Amino acid sequence: MSIIFLIVAIGSIVGFRAGAGRKMNLEEWSIAGRSFGLLFMWLLMAGEIYTTFAFLGASGWAYSRGGPALYIMAYITLGYVVSFYILPYIWELGRRHGLQTQSDFFEKRYRSHVLALLVSFFGVLFVIPYLQIQLTGLGIIVQVASFDQIPRNVSMLLAVTIVALFVYFGGMRAVAWVSVLKDLLMILAALAVGIFVPLHYFGGFSPLFHTLAATHPTHLVMPGATKTMGHAWFISTVLLSACGFYMWPHTFGAAFTAKSGDILRRNAIVTPLYTLSLVFILIAGFAALIVVPGLSNGDMSLLMLARKTFPAWFLGVIGGAGALTAMVPSAIILLTASTLFAKNVYRPLFSPHMSEDRVARLARATVLVLALISFGLALHSSTTLVALLLLGYAGVTQFFPGVVLGLFWPRVTSSGVTSGMLVGLTTVATLLLSHHDPFHGINAGFLALVLNFAVTVLVSLVTPEQSNPLPLSNDGEVATTAH
Amino acid sequence: MRKPSLLSIAIGLIPFLGMCFSVPWWDRVSPMILGLPFNLFWLILWIVISSGCMALANRVEERRKRKGRAL
């Protein structure tokens, strides 16, 4: 139990020290003054992707659903592939036109306040359940790893306070530094569980999977223990998630922290390899199916397995890694959501002449408010929030056509993007809330994305042409007529 | 900065073929390789190949940029 505290304390000290002694304007605080090189970029991106969902959810899917869990490995890798073709361009436009958030991009590219507000509003809305899930996950991890000595609410309150404080004082740079510790611990925990457990109980990977193949013959392939998650579901979900990977406000915004566009390109070469650590977490979930069968909540499988296998002090290390795994993404989300709120929602609506400094101060105050809100939601966590998270994932992906076409297709218009996005969001909401996901075996969000693309292109073609304020080439837009 | 070249886009599609569209052909347990079910092994292999594809696409883009400057 004290080990968990020790790890969290070290993490916080690292975070506070990183931000100390720097002058904090909005650009330094929210995107670290566009200064991150390859190593930091990699850490930051790994930090925001490997959340408690990767830790608990991936093993949980392997445990309760089986084969379909493999989609996680595929979509993360392909999400990085997609990033190679998008992020360097977003970065370049960001540097040239001073963009700091996702909404800035929509605002400047389409010269549309409505579109920018739409993107910020839904961005913040979708990201709050994401934050709440992190806190709930953290509560579970700390509770199990401390053998129920630390109650869930206390650990969540403690964590949210620490996160809010180091975001408030340290900004993005602090978060990246804490990420260093988190990644080391998480790889250690993943290797320990994924390698030691099969060796200890089965004598190796091969006997583990032979046992599984004999006792659960269909579990290891799709649709596994589910009825609807077959190959069509796999393809559509992987495509949707790979496109949506960098459409979250915080993942999109991370592109601006890079020192150059080339860093982002090279980053796409190394990041897929980090996905390999997930393999061990999946293996742990499969092993748990035999070692600790019959859990009602699959998300507990990794922790219950560790609790049964390891001595208390090592469970503390896993608990600490898990806690940081929740805290780092929470910090990034808090930071992005507050910047979005202050810069792209509050300023245009209520106080258009607000200075950058005052926006920065408002953003930092918003951190504390959002932290409180998500803590409140985590206390009363319910199934509707899980539904909202799924909605969010399919929802943010509806920004994808606006981003990609905005970068590469000069003919796209603001009315095209707005109507496409609204059609996409409506489709997602209708199908998900009426429990029609997957829709005839295909991911509902993917169907919405296809519709969205079609509407965006069609409406753009029938509305009058607009000039592109953010052309990629330096010498202005030469050939705008792309017929 | 110009749009990504067709060649680098084509290289980027390779991981999609290997990990996504081809799922009916590799989603099976046997033959087990290195003790892992075939589908798990296949994805691990393709993670490494994807990284290689990105390295290749990066070289294509870098070469194109140098040429662009020379002109």
Side-chain angles (χ1 to χ4, degrees), chain A residues 30-111:
Chain A
S30 68
I31 55 173
R34 298 183 213 276
S35 66
F36 284 173
L38 190 61
L39 183 64
F40 255 30
M41 208 54 228
W42 186 72
L43 286 167
L44 184 68
M45 296 217 158
E48 62 191 7
I49 300 307
Y50 295 93
T51 63
T52 51
F53 175 76
F55 211 68
L56 300 181
S59 52
W61 270 60
Y63 181 88
S64 55
R65 292 184 174 87
L70 293 176
Y71 104 91
I72 302 170
M73 283 169 69
Y75 96 78
I76 295 187
T77 309
L78 295 176
Y80 291 129
V81 172
V82 173
S83 82
F84 181 93
Y85 301 93
I86 300 180
L87 296 191
Y89 301 93
I90 292 172
W91 181 87
E92 177 68 28
L93 296 176
R95 184 188 57 93
R96 249 188 261 158
H97 303 272
L99 314 179
Q100 291 171 358
T101 65
Q102 193 177 29
S103 292
D104 286 353
F105 173 80
F106 278 91
E107 167 109 47
K108 292 260 168 65
R109 171 63 181 87
Y110 296 105
R111 288 202 192 96

Side-chain angles (χ1 to χ4, degrees), chain A residues 132-149:
Chain A
Q132 178 266 330
I133 299 269
Q134 297 302 321
L135 280 179
T136 311
L138 181 136
I140 296 175
I141 292 170
V142 174
Q143 188 185 15
V144 174
S146 70
F147 291 92
D148 302 314
Q149 281 178 327

Side-chain angles (χ1 to χ4, degrees), chain A residues 381-400:
Chain A
S381 86
S382 66
T383 45
T384 31
L385 273 160
V386 179
L388 206 57
L389 182 74
L390 290 175
L391 196 71
Y393 227 114
V396 288
T397 313
Q398 307 308 321
F399 301 158
F400 189 69

Side-chain angles (χ1 to χ4, degrees), chain A residues 85 220 231 262 269 408, chain B residues 2-3 8 27 39 51 65:
Chain A
Y85 301 93
L220 291 169
H231 291 154
D262 288 340
I269 304 172
F408 302 121
Chain B
R2 288 179 299 167
K3 289 183 190 181
S8 70
D27 183 28
N39 50 8
S51 172
K65 206 161 70 181

Side-chain angles (χ1 to χ4, degrees), chain A residues 242-282:
Chain A
C243 293
F245 203 49
Y246 279 103
M247 292 303 125
W248 287 97
H250 58 285
T251 50
F252 188 101
F256 298 125
T257 61
K259 198 156 53 180
S260 76
D262 288 340
I263 297 278
L264 291 165
R265 267 207 198 95
R266 273 185 275 153
N267 195 51
I269 304 172
V270 283
T271 34
L273 297 175
Y274 199 89
T275 319
L276 293 174
S277 64
L278 272 181
V279 173
F280 297 101
I281 294 179
L282 289 179

Side-chain angles (χ1 to χ4, degrees), chain B residues 2 4 6 8 11-13 15 17 20-22 24-25 27 34-35 37-38 47 55 59:
Chain B
R2 288 179 299 167
L6 282 178
S8 70
I11 296 170
L13 287 177
L17 294 178
C20 183
F21 298 109
S22 55
W25 290 287
D27 183 28
L34 304 172
F38 187 73
I47 288 175
R59 284 187 61 172

